[in-house]
Amino acid sequence: MKQDIAWCPGCGNFPIRAALEKVLKELPVPAKNIVLTSGIGQAAKMPHYLPYSYFNGLHGRSLPLAVGIKLARPDLTVIAVSGDGCHYGEGGNHFIHTIRRRLDITILVCDNKVYGLTKGQSSPTTDLGMKNALDPQGNLNTPFSPLVTALAAGAPFVARTFAGDAQHMEQVLRESILFRGPSVVDILQPCVSFNKVNTYAWYRERLYKLEEPPRDRQEAMRLAEIWGERIPIGVFWRDGQFVCREIRETFRRPVTEAAVAKLLDTKCIMMR
């Protein structure tokens, strides 16, 4: 791309962007019908570097934007892509309740386990005891478990992949976007500048791939809790019986005062 990219050389966001661009180009969907939303952070810059429509909102607000767009234009393919701080921290409540709304929205989380934009403070997924500039004694907070939370909230598609495995990442991203319903993908993404623990090498020593999704949600939750010397990646849960919420187009055309007055059976209405 001709546009300068603000990420550090070696940032895990580069392979994620490449994989997402490849998958989106191969979708049986016109480019004009794809829209991305994001919040604030290094990962939230992702839509800036892709040739699709996007709405870059406030910190933690990528999901309300995605919900609003999907309700207004259900014909669009809506993807919310942001980081672990944005989706799981500031946007944590939206993360839970967007899943509950049963809309066809893909939630992609570039999870580098730190706040990279603001120099590496502990994020919701930072490992217990990990040291950084603001936590010199080590992070004392219990790490947020995104996959367990997504499963508990009722997400019908939950997956984890790794920015260092392009083929696996493309496969999971493609499947999540084509799934009809709220899908969640946690993408393990090394931060080469501010996270010296969860590096590419650290992950490659521990990751293993699930052969196929578990048959029940309880088994999926058991697998999702595994983190340490062994870390599973793949599709943890895919509900083939899930019923997505059906909605009608609501705001395809500009709303006029006359149309609202007719709807309300009145002669005059103030819309200013």
Side-chain angles (χ1 to χ4, degrees):
M1 293 182 69
K2 294 181 180 178
Q3 184 177 1
D4 290 338
I5 294 182
W7 299 326
C8 304
C11 175
N13 281 324
F14 284 105
I16 297 174
R17 191 201 70 80
L20 185 56
E21 183 175 34
K22 181 179 180 183
V23 169
L24 292 178
K25 282 184 176 178
E26 294 172 352
L27 285 182
V29 178
K32 66 182 179 63
N33 283 3
I34 296 173
V35 62
L36 307 171
T37 68
S38 66
I40 298 295
Q42 293 292 3
K45 298 173 183 173
M46 186 75 68
H48 302 184
Y49 310 137
L50 291 165
Y52 298 95
S53 300
Y54 68 88
F55 195 137
N56 193 183
L58 300 175
H59 205 185
R61 300 298 180 263
S62 63
L63 291 175
L65 295 171
V67 169
I69 292 169
K70 193 64 185 179
L71 287 173
R73 290 286 306 275
D75 57 312
L76 298 180
T77 296
V78 181
I79 301 166
V81 54
S82 223
D84 45 306
C86 196
H87 270 321
Y88 301 149
E90 285 78 2
N93 191 47
H94 299 304
F95 178 71
I96 294 170
H97 296 288
T98 298
I99 292 170
R100 291 181 52 246
R101 292 190 173 97
R102 297 184 294 114
L103 295 168
D104 186 17
I105 293 173
T106 303
I107 304 172
L108 305 182
V109 189
C110 306
D111 188 356
N112 63 6
K113 303 167 81 64
V114 292
Y115 281 93
L117 182 69
T118 48
K119 313 301 182 187
Q121 298 94 335
S122 298
S123 84
T125 57
T126 298
D127 289 334
L128 192 65
M130 191 172 115
K131 297 180 180 178
N132 55 56
L134 290 186
D135 273 330
Q137 304 303 318
N139 177 39
L140 298 177
N141 297 324
T142 301
F144 180 76
S145 181
L147 302 190
V148 171
T149 303
L151 288 164
F157 185 97
V158 178
R160 177 194 285 145
T161 186
F162 173 49
D165 188 335
Q167 186 176 7
H168 188 268
M169 188 164 44
E170 290 166 14
Q171 178 183 341
V172 170
L173 293 182
R174 184 179 300 108
E175 191 172 349
S176 68
I177 294 170
L178 291 175
F179 184 86
R180 184 165 168 72
S183 57
V184 176
V185 182
D186 187 67
I187 308 171
L188 301 175
Q189 177 234 319
C191 173
V192 296
S193 294
F194 300 109
N195 185 341
K196 303 301 184 183
V197 175
N198 308 114
T199 63
Y200 285 98
W202 188 91
Y203 280 122
R204 288 192 172 110
E205 289 177 0
R206 292 163 172 78
L207 297 181
Y208 70 96
K209 296 174 184 174
L210 299 176
E211 296 295 328
E212 57 184 16
R215 294 184 178 181
D216 61 71
R217 192 179 291 268
Q218 291 301 319
E219 176 62 10
M221 295 190 77
R222 187 190 69 76
L223 290 170
E225 289 179 333
I226 297 174
W227 186 273
E229 294 307 310
R230 298 280 285 164
I231 301 173
I233 60 173
V235 178
F236 287 70
W237 181 239
R238 184 197 301 117
D239 183 354
Q241 306 300 314
F242 181 78
V243 179
C244 192
R245 182 176 179 179
E246 297 292 340
I247 48 180
R248 297 180 300 172
E249 293 182 354
T250 49
F251 302 117
R252 194 64 183 270
R253 300 184 183 87
V255 180
T256 65
E257 288 191 25
V260 176
K262 182 179 180 181
L263 183 67
L264 298 178
D265 192 23
T266 184
K267 292 182 179 179
C268 179
I269 185 169
M270 296 298 291
M271 291 182 61
R272 303 176 181 84

